Amino acid sequence: MSNIKYSAEHEWIQDNGDGTVLIGITDFAQEQLGDLVFVELPELGTEITKGEEISVIESVKAASDLFAPVDGTVIEVNESLEDEPELINEDAMANWIIKVELTDPSDLDDLMDEDAYNALTEE
Amino acid sequence: MANHDITLQKTPLYTLHQELGAKLVPFAGYEMPVQYPLGIKKEHLHTREKAGLFDVSHMGQIILKGEKAAQALESLVPVDIVDLSIGQQRYALFTNQDGGVMDDLMVTNTGEHLFLVVNAACKEQDINHLKRHLANQCDIHVLDDYALLALQGPKAGEVLAKIAPESSEMRFMTAKTLMLNGVECFVTRSGYTGEDGFEISLPNSQAEALARLLLADDDVEMIGLGARDSLRLEAGLCLYGHELDNDISPVEASLVWALSKARRVDGVRAGGYLGAEVIMSQLANGVSRKRVGLKPQGKMPVRDGAEIVDEKDNVIGVVTSGGFGVSLNSPIAMGYVPSDYAEAGRELNAMVRGKKVPMQVVSLPFVKQNYYRG
């Protein structure tokens, strides 16, 4: 059983098993966005609500929203992205954006597994 | 996932773009490559370091022929065309009655006719404009079956000289007919990246073969519209529909250099173009807003449409182009601000998603131009 799930908005969500998750964007998403030049990191303590914008990811060409895949509180941000947003282009799965404390761990049940996500991106 | 709309036109390099793995997007009625697998950043840097090949066949190519063609064209542009020597090229603007800009264009005197290159999105309008005003003074011929390739970058001269040694004699803003790959091509030493380079006009049927020959050079990579835009922004050059439109005059756009002396007050052929009164009055009395370069602080890009506010949060202007200066590794932008705020060093703010982003007015271009002036 993988501890990584996926949202329809092309995020991966890693269940740390302690009520927290790491959230990043998928390789498919980074490929679509192209060269990233800026990742807006939310402030610590920000309450996020499923389906709402958390932050903005900018490529050379355009700005794209990052949507919250779960309800929760931002407890950590990946500060290395401030200077090196291109880390996501290099390895999207290894470079998380935010760490979130879940309000309701059952939110994870609504997310896709890898097969379902792959089916979505191959459409 | 691209929406392949059957109404979109294709350039003669379409198959090559697909073969090279281009991401194709609809642009000005054409299906155009926005980037190749290299990606916008590397494509941008490659053009600044070596040479990039751009398909700009979507742009309009028009010939004006006849003894009075130059004189006739002067009724539509505030630029000296009559005295344009053979083999010389000049940047020009189609103005409207109110002194606004209908389009910007390049004009070359080939000796036999005037060769015009206009923006893709404006070409139908420009052709109609030319026909409406000049049809009884000269022949207007649209080169529908001609492609346009731009080879840009510090290595462009070296690359082209391998194919046509006589190209090395050309200086910035001059033109020559050259045999390239056995084909007669009309070549100008110009472009829109701020780098040395050439624009090559040739029959559609020959374009792919020439593109392949140029790409066979180790120094040349195919470059998409994404990098073309970031390169021209770094070069501080106007993009129609952004820095220029029907409501913006060349004086406001900081294009006074493009307004020829011969056509200004006291010039040998003063006025006589659409909107001349407005433009000459602006030259004499100044304008209330101006195009400026803007350098946002930090890493967050400030995109076009962002409002510019003063220290009291009053909206005083707007960003017209904004993105990431790849060579500078920082965000850059251009926009319009009141003339009182236009001096370099002025601190302003842009509003981005409800947040204030400090910016400084800076002089243009952002990256030093590298034209070949001999």
Side-chain angles (χ1 to χ4, degrees):
Chain A
M1 265 292 276
S2 164
N3 61 343
I4 294 186
K5 296 216 163 182
Y6 298 85
S7 76
E9 282 79 32
H10 307 290
E11 289 130 348
W12 57 262
I13 298 96
Q14 181 188 305
D15 181 2
N16 295 328
D18 59 357
T20 69
V21 292
L22 292 178
I23 299 172
I25 63 167
T26 64
D27 192 53
F28 175 84
Q30 73 76 22
E31 178 77 39
Q32 290 292 308
L33 293 169
D35 292 325
L36 298 185
V37 295
F38 180 74
V39 178
E40 184 184 68
L41 297 168
E43 281 174 32
L44 294 184
T46 304
E47 304 274 332
I48 64 168
T49 307
K50 216 190 302 183
E52 290 185 1
E53 295 158 26
I54 315 172
S55 81
V56 171
I57 298 181
E58 306 226 20
S59 68
V60 181
K61 267 316 262 179
S64 309
D65 291 318
L66 183 72
F67 295 99
V70 291
D71 290 345
T73 308
V74 177
I75 54 168
E76 213 176 319
V77 296
N78 183 356
E79 284 170 5
S80 59
L81 298 175
E82 278 178 3
D83 293 322
E84 295 179 279
E86 62 272 20
L87 289 171
I88 291 177
N89 291 121
E90 286 160 20
D91 191 345
M93 298 305 287
N95 289 282
W96 56 280
I97 299 171
I98 51 171
K99 187 174 182 183
V100 170
E101 192 169 77
L102 297 167
T103 306
D104 178 1
S106 74
D107 277 354
L108 296 174
D109 301 339
D110 302 335
L111 297 164
M112 281 178 267
D113 62 14
E114 190 172 357
D115 289 344
Y117 181 69
N118 286 343
L120 174 83
T121 57
E122 278 157 20
E123 266 173 22
Chain B
M1 302 228 304
N3 184 15
H4 291 265
D5 188 336
I6 48 160
T7 60
L8 289 174
Q9 291 182 265
K10 294 176 170 68
T11 76
L13 296 190
Y14 181 78
T15 335
L16 179 61
H17 296 320
Q18 282 187 312
E19 187 185 310
L20 295 174
K23 194 183 277 184
L24 294 153
V25 297
F27 182 82
Y30 285 79
E31 207 166 336
M32 296 298 287
V34 66
Q35 67 173 83
Y36 298 87
L38 209 52
I40 295 177
K41 269 180 149 177
K42 283 183 182 148
E43 290 173 30
H44 179 117
L45 294 172
H46 184 91
T47 307
R48 290 261 182 261
E49 282 156 19
K50 293 179 176 176
L53 183 66
F54 302 74
D55 178 13
V56 285
S57 302
H58 59 314
M59 297 185 77
Q61 301 180 60
I62 305 164
I63 277 173
L64 302 183
K65 203 166 180 173
E67 264 177 50
K68 290 184 177 164
Q71 207 180 324
L73 183 58
E74 283 200 354
S75 66
L76 304 180
V77 301
V79 175
D80 179 1
I81 305 294
V82 167
D83 289 328
L84 190 59
S85 358
I86 294 173
Q88 280 289 328
Q89 186 177 37
R90 198 161 277 167
Y91 177 74
L93 304 145
F94 286 127
T95 50
N96 64 29
Q97 295 285 1
D98 304 320
V101 178
M102 287 178 63
D103 195 9
D104 59 344
L105 67 153
M106 297 298 270
V107 183
T108 311
N109 178 8
T110 71
E112 288 172 9
H113 53 248
L114 296 175
F115 172 74
L116 277 51
V117 178
V118 302
N119 281 304
C122 301
K123 70 182 171 187
E124 288 310 314
Q125 162 213 281
D126 293 342
I127 292 161
N128 291 335
H129 185 61
L130 288 164
K131 285 184 177 163
R132 190 162 62 245
H133 292 277
L134 310 185
N136 56 356
Q137 300 167 73
C138 59
D139 291 332
I140 301 159
H141 179 59
V142 181
L143 297 177
D144 280 327
D145 48 356
Y146 272 66
L148 194 65
L149 305 182
L151 182 67
Q152 301 280 296
K155 295 269 189 183
E158 206 177 298
V159 169
L160 200 65
K162 288 181 208 164
I163 306 173
E166 65 272 42
S167 65
S168 60
E169 296 155 19
M170 297 171 69
R171 292 178 184 195
F172 182 54
M173 299 298 269
T174 66
K176 232 184 174 102
T177 300
L178 298 175
M179 289 302 285
L180 302 177
N181 205 24
V183 180
E184 195 171 281
C185 300
F186 185 69
V187 180
T188 57
R189 195 156 196 165
S190 59
Y192 222 60
T193 59
E195 295 297 327
D196 178 24
F198 302 86
E199 290 200 348
I200 304 164
S201 169
L202 78 170
N204 277 344
S205 58
Q206 310 294 324
E208 188 182 319
L210 179 63
R212 285 184 191 275
L213 177 69
L214 291 166
L215 289 169
D217 193 302
D218 286 344
D219 285 334
V220 182
E221 286 286 348
M222 199 81 200
I223 310 296
L225 290 177
R228 182 171 163 83
D229 191 49
S230 55
L231 288 158
R232 75 91 203 160
L233 178 57
E234 276 185 350
L237 299 167
C238 292
L239 179 62
Y240 197 82
H242 290 256
E243 286 70 43
L244 297 175
D245 70 38
N246 273 300
D247 300 320
I248 297 171
S249 86
V251 185
E252 292 172 320
S254 301
L255 293 174
V256 170
W257 60 268
L259 307 175
S260 304
K261 290 213 164 55
R263 310 297 309 282
R264 298 198 201 177
V265 175
D266 300 331
V268 286
R269 291 183 313 285
Y273 54 89
L274 297 172
E277 297 72 22
V278 177
I279 290 171
M280 290 205 274
S281 145
Q282 290 182 346
L283 282 170
N285 307 316
V287 283
S288 57
R289 59 171 180 174
K290 269 187 181 164
R291 173 174 66 103
V292 293
L294 299 162
K295 191 97 188 267
Q297 280 175 24
K299 283 280 216 175
M300 185 164 73
V302 176
R303 309 277 177 184
D304 69 301
E307 289 179 332
I308 300 170
V309 298
D310 66 8
E311 59 282 358
K312 289 175 188 153
D313 294 349
N314 298 311
V315 176
I316 55 163
V318 67
V319 170
T320 48
S321 285
F324 203 76
V326 179
S327 310
L328 304 166
N329 198 30
S330 76
I332 52 173
M334 289 196 282
Y336 281 87
V337 298
S339 302
D340 301 348
Y341 292 76
E343 79 278 17
R346 182 88 192 206
E347 306 280 348
L348 295 167
N349 289 296
M351 297 305 295
V352 180
R353 298 183 284 273
K355 279 184 216 156
K356 260 194 246 180
V357 180
M359 300 193 295
Q360 196 174 46
V361 175
V362 294
S363 38
L364 294 169
F366 294 100
V367 169
K368 193 178 151 283
Q369 288 159 345
N370 194 20
Y371 303 133
Y372 180 73
R373 298 184 192 271

